[in-house]
Amino acid sequence: MTLRSSNAVSISTGPRPVVVRRHRRAADRDTGSAFGFQARFPRERVSIEGRSTEFVRRSDDDGEPRTFHFCPDCGATVYYVLGSAPDVVAIPVGAFADPGFPPPDFSVLESRKHAWVMVPPEAQHDDC
Ligand SMILES: [Zn+2]
């Protein structure tokens, strides 16, 4: 899989990510959406080329630092790394612009999700 954001950043990854949908309030604020939805890859399977602008944000939920990388040309989030998992690269699924992208493998913190959000039944549900 390859993600290209404008001409500034190109990311090549392994063939199949772990896909996570998060329902934390911090995920809402991080993404500007009703939930976070990202593909996570082991760092050694990710090749990143080009320029990005970095911003470290502390989670509203637990203070965990998250390092976001933005395309310097258009401002889109291209990837980020959680302080608790520095060996994992998370890429917002929307950044792939692929309607055939796999559905989430995990759905986390569903007790906090918006009532109208539907989760595929085959996803592993986790409320921690
Ligand atoms: Zn861009």
Side-chain angles (χ1 to χ4, degrees):
M1 304 178 108
T2 298
L3 165 69
R4 184 174 301 282
S5 180
S6 302
N7 291 320
V9 185
S10 178
I11 301 175
S12 296
T13 67
R16 177 65 168 91
V18 172
V19 186
V20 179
R21 181 150 65 175
R22 295 184 303 154
H23 303 283
R24 305 178 87 169
R25 294 294 162 256
D28 296 357
R29 291 189 182 101
D30 290 347
T31 64
S33 184
F35 52 85
F37 186 28
Q38 74 274 168
R40 296 183 182 185
F41 299 88
R43 186 173 258 309
E44 69 270 11
R45 287 178 39 196
V46 176
S47 172
I48 302 168
E49 297 178 12
R51 303 170 291 121
S52 66
T53 300
E54 181 179 304
F55 180 78
V56 178
R57 183 181 193 285
R58 294 214 169 258
S59 166
D60 294 337
D61 290 327
D62 57 14
E64 174 187 55
R66 297 173 177 168
T67 304
F68 290 83
H69 292 262
F70 302 92
C71 172
D73 292 341
C74 68
T77 303
V78 288
Y79 70 97
Y80 61 93
V81 177
L82 304 178
S84 62
D87 295 332
V88 175
V89 173
I91 301 173
V93 169
F96 288 96
D98 178 1
F101 202 90
D105 299 309
F106 297 92
S107 178
V108 182
L109 288 172
E110 290 186 353
S111 64
R112 297 185 186 187
K113 77 176 179 63
H114 295 263
W116 51 267
V117 173
M118 305 300 288
V119 177
E122 64 272 19
Q124 182 173 327
H125 306 271
D126 188 351
D127 207 51
C128 64

